[in-house]
Amino acid sequence: MAAITRTETIEITEDDASTVDPFTRTTEEIFRAALDDFKLTLTEAQRDTFPGKGLSHVKCKIMSIQHHQERLKAMMNFSRIQFYLERFAEFDAVCQCTKIGGDESAELSAYIWGPSTYILQVSQEDHTVLDVVLDAYQKFGKRIPDLQVYSSMIKERANMMKCVAFMYHDLLQFYRNLVKLLTGRGWKKTFHANWRDYGQSFEALLESFDAHGEVLKKLLAAWKKQASDDNNQRLNDHILQYQDDRQITHGHAAQYQQDRDALVEGAQASQDMHRQLNDHILQSNDNHRELQRHIAQYEEDRLERLRVAKVEEKKRKMDQRADVLQWMSTPGASQREYHETAKNARSEFPDTGMWVLTEDKIFDWMNAETPTKSMVWMNGKKGAGKTVLSSLIIENCEMKPDFKTSYFYCREDDTNQNTCVSVLKGILRQMVSHNEDLLPSCYEKRGRGEERLHDLATIKSLLDLFCEYDMNQFIVIDGLDECIAAEIKPLVQYWASVVDKCDNYKPGKIRVLLVGQDISDIRKLACMQSADIFELHPTQSGRDIHKYLDVQFEKLQKEYDLTEDEARMAQELICSKAEGMFLYAVLTVENLLAQATTGDVKAEIRADRLPSSLEAAYKKIIDRLQRNPGERQWAMAKKIFGWLARAKRPLQWHELQAALSIQPDHRPGEDPIDFHNNQLRKDIREICGSLVQVLEDRIEFIHSTTRSHIVKSEHLDARVIETDLTLICLKYLTLPCFDSNITSDDLEHYATIGWYAFQDYAISKWKHHLESMITIALPLFQDPNSGPLYEEKFCAVLTGFLDFHKASIAAAAQEKTQTKSGRTIVLVPASASTPPLLSPPASQQSLTDSRSSTPLSAQTQPGQLYPQQQGTIDPALFCQKFQQTRFYPQLVQLWTHVCKHQTSDFKERNKVSLLHLDAFLGKIRTTLQTLATSPTKMDVKSLRKLYGTRFYKCHRVTCDYFHEGYDSKSALDKHSNRHDRPFQCPFSCSLVPFGFSSNKDRERHIRQYHPDEADGPSQFVAATEAKKTVAEAKWPCDLCGKKFTRLTIKKAHVDSHYGTRRHACEACGKMFTRSYDRNRHRKIHTRRAGGGR
């Protein structure tokens, strides 16, 4: 369903101000231009339907609708359209009498009544839409001038027909917008949102008709005054004529003197007559000028009104679009950035990959008017260059003028890029940019308690609207296998259902290309029977590898003086060992290009030295980085690799620079943060090789396989990395720059030298690293070589941290041990182990330490950060394994503080647990914002190099915008206002941290995300009863392990996992997962039947 977009409205307005210029166009030209422009917006069927229609057709349609409604006992108040019909009947009559348009006057008349007939015909399909249309006609009818009053004036003054022409133009604009709202397959779903969006433009249109009426009144008054003056002048002429005739009858017998006197008097009378005639002419000219002035002023006012409307509509639509895109945004690098990176990867080798465009299945999918299959799955082994091939296909799809292309590059190591929600949301965001006609529908869906869109049902409903819209689309999803395993199946099934639905009425309208590794579970899906499967064969990518090697070995030959035979043999060996893995060839060649001497290259290209696998290729690069150019640089590379692999969220470039500059072991007199000596001055690829890249201020591994190979490397120890990161975070938060008693001048000084560049990460993630260290690092402290050193360092840092923040920790210790979430904090060791408090679920623990099968905490997702646990939490038990260390008491004390904070309600968890730091953080950020807007205090470029480009950040720790931030204070204020909504989820939910603007939205959220909690015991049941209820729960869910007290509740819960709806409403047929929801829904019908009681 099409909406009235701002772009389109602006075009219309510009047309008014230029093409239909009242100062250069005649009345006939204004009529004709308005009609021609309207025709351009119509479908061929509509253009064929409208001609030949008249008022009688509209009345017949109204009678037909009323008869139909009478049979259904659903009569509506059609008298609302009566005034509109009367006014435009008069309008039509005036146009006919003045013969505007000549032989084409009948066509002008038909387009007064034809669109009305169509609008009534279509809108009757939905009684709520018809009601809106009748209301619009009623408002319109009341504002249209009564042309019958002005008909005599208009017939006499042809230039006044311009006003009628402008009225005709505005009428067609109303028809244009309303007809568009009623066009398309999904118009019923979007009409009301689009009509509300059109409301401001509709009011402007009504005001335009008010202006038409006002100018007609003024013109009528001026015309009547001129007519009165003309009548007076004609009377004076008659009197003068009578006097002349009387003088002639005196005869010629009068004396000469009398004749002479009479002659003098006649001359005097003649002079008086001429004076009066001149006065009349002047008055007539004044009256004419007055009429012209009114018309000119009317035309000028109209142009100004259209100009103002254009500016206001442009601003409104820009704000609306910005709000929707922000709602659909995802922190991190944009999809366009990933696409450009993939394109750049083949820019030096433009001939590579071109073969894929001519492959039968891909060619047919891209070019056939009706493709054999509208969905294609292109699969191949990891590292085969699928992403580069995808970027080539996307680039060619974007050249198709009749299609819009949306795409998504999944990233295994980024939780914002590897879920069903993130993929669908990324596609939806691009669709909004391709076509803003559905922007009002998106805008109305926005704001249901979410700062960013994450509700899967809402995303799907909006995608369905865009896919139903009359727009051909290519959709390409690369890296399907990099999504979380449980998310792949629903993602594939959704797109298959969309394609099947569209193919039923227009085959090939939506074309989907899925790219990834071969996954057996996907092949087994029933929906894949309607998709083509295109398997990449090693020989196909082998051709690209040959082309790539031809270019690269030219460089090698020139730089290292290799012979033709040496180069050819090396190419053949690499191609053979690559087995179709383009990534293997890239890593191998880049390792060769980094060699120091020709002898080194020749040694590396021997058959027994070339890597035997992708993992061996990674090992070659890591071994080279270790050897060359020195131990210090390798230590730096190891540190970067480890931090990227173990960071709890993707690091930003300035955060990495700050972390590298922190010196936890600094000696007295040295700065604890030394940007000058420690920050990277070289391109990071010179230190880390080709294994990392920087995208939009984010640093990440070059490929999804890189992270796993890095972690498995014997050069990296996860225990050491986690311990070092914990030490850095804890030590950093005890620096003097975080002393809340420092002066404003000192705070500003620390800000200008970059000491706060790492604060967003350290403040929000130190607890996560501490938990990971407790979970996996015990063997490090037990090691006879490194253990004593780490124990001494950790003891010192932990003691210093507790001492620096003792006031905040002591204040937290004063609180009750019973948390708001119902869990109890105890300090008595127990016999059972306690699960980690901050780590994600097992499904998210994708990394395993290379020396142990112990699962390690990977990057966490919003909503999974703090699992809802019941019962007792024992900090001492969790830390018990460190009981033999010197820092055990301090560790228990700090972990108790963490437990108390993390088991409180979500509002408290959103705060910084160290209370003085929570308050001081605001002062730090205010100082940075002041520096960013005061270039006299510090060069803005230098400040952005230290802190990035966004200085306005949310103060809630669990919010992504705590570290992502905004460009302006207004954007941050808008974001913060949404945090403070009055209706919060009662279940300490982290899915929707912003609350809800209405209780209805909150209730809907509870039904969707907390159905079992909503059916649970009353919040007012005594604690002992609640514990008893939990203890007696004996029906476990096989899927998630949750237990229930009744089998029926368990079955309903299992149905919710699969989306099964067994309970139908007898009145309307709507299906529900639980009988409770069905019974509650029934009350709606009961209330309606009882007259709303």
Side-chain angles (χ1 to χ4, degrees), residues 102-238:
D103 296 335
E104 299 176 349
S105 59
E107 184 181 25
L108 296 178
S109 178
Y111 276 87
I112 295 175
W113 307 112
S116 284
T117 308
Y118 174 83
I119 289 167
L120 292 171
Q121 171 69 33
V122 176
S123 61
Q124 70 172 331
E125 297 177 18
D126 188 318
H127 71 278
T128 62
V129 174
L130 181 58
D131 189 57
V132 169
V133 169
L134 291 176
D135 273 343
Y137 275 129
Q138 184 179 39
K139 292 177 182 178
F140 212 174
K142 290 179 179 180
R143 311 287 274 271
I144 300 169
D146 184 358
L147 292 189
Q148 190 173 4
V149 176
Y150 309 104
S151 58
S152 299
M153 176 186 68
I154 293 172
K155 292 174 186 176
E156 185 175 317
R157 298 280 184 176
N159 59 350
M160 294 183 186
M161 275 301 294
K162 270 194 176 181
C163 182
V164 179
F166 286 135
M167 290 173 64
Y168 187 75
H169 176 273
D170 290 346
L171 170 67
L172 294 190
Q173 289 307 307
F174 170 67
Y175 283 155
R176 173 180 183 167
N177 293 325
L178 194 50
V179 166
K180 191 171 185 181
L181 295 182
L182 298 168
T183 302
R185 290 181 58 84
W187 70 264
K188 293 180 185 178
K189 300 177 183 177
T190 57
F191 177 86
H192 292 287
N194 291 332
W195 177 258
R196 285 187 287 269
D197 183 71
Y198 175 55
Q200 185 172 326
S201 298
F202 182 60
E203 285 301 320
L205 190 66
L206 296 179
E207 291 172 4
S208 181
F209 274 88
D210 289 340
H212 297 320
E214 288 298 319
V215 76
L216 284 173
K217 288 178 183 178
K218 291 179 181 179
L219 291 174
L220 181 62
W223 179 71
K224 287 181 177 179
K225 183 177 183 300
Q226 185 173 4
S228 177
D229 291 342
D230 290 344
N231 288 334
N232 290 336
Q233 185 59 43
R234 281 194 292 272
L235 180 59
N236 289 336
D237 289 345
H238 283 305

Side-chain angles (χ1 to χ4, degrees), residues 436-494:
E436 296 186 356
D437 282 355
L438 292 171
L439 190 59
S441 296
C442 298
Y443 189 73
E444 287 213 343
K445 289 279 189 180
R446 150 193 178 276
R448 301 272 174 118
E450 304 170 328
E451 170 64 16
R452 289 199 318 277
L453 174 62
H454 66 253
D455 180 63
L456 185 59
T458 302
I459 295 170
K460 286 182 177 180
S461 67
L462 290 174
L463 280 171
D464 289 343
L465 290 180
F466 277 95
C467 292
E468 284 183 23
Y469 187 79
D470 188 17
M471 177 175 69
N472 298 324
Q473 300 189 64
F474 288 118
I475 296 167
V476 181
I477 300 174
D478 175 70
L480 184 65
D481 57 289
E482 297 192 35
C483 289
I484 296 171
E487 305 277 314
I488 297 175
K489 180 179 176 180
L491 185 62
V492 174
Q493 289 175 326
Y494 172 74

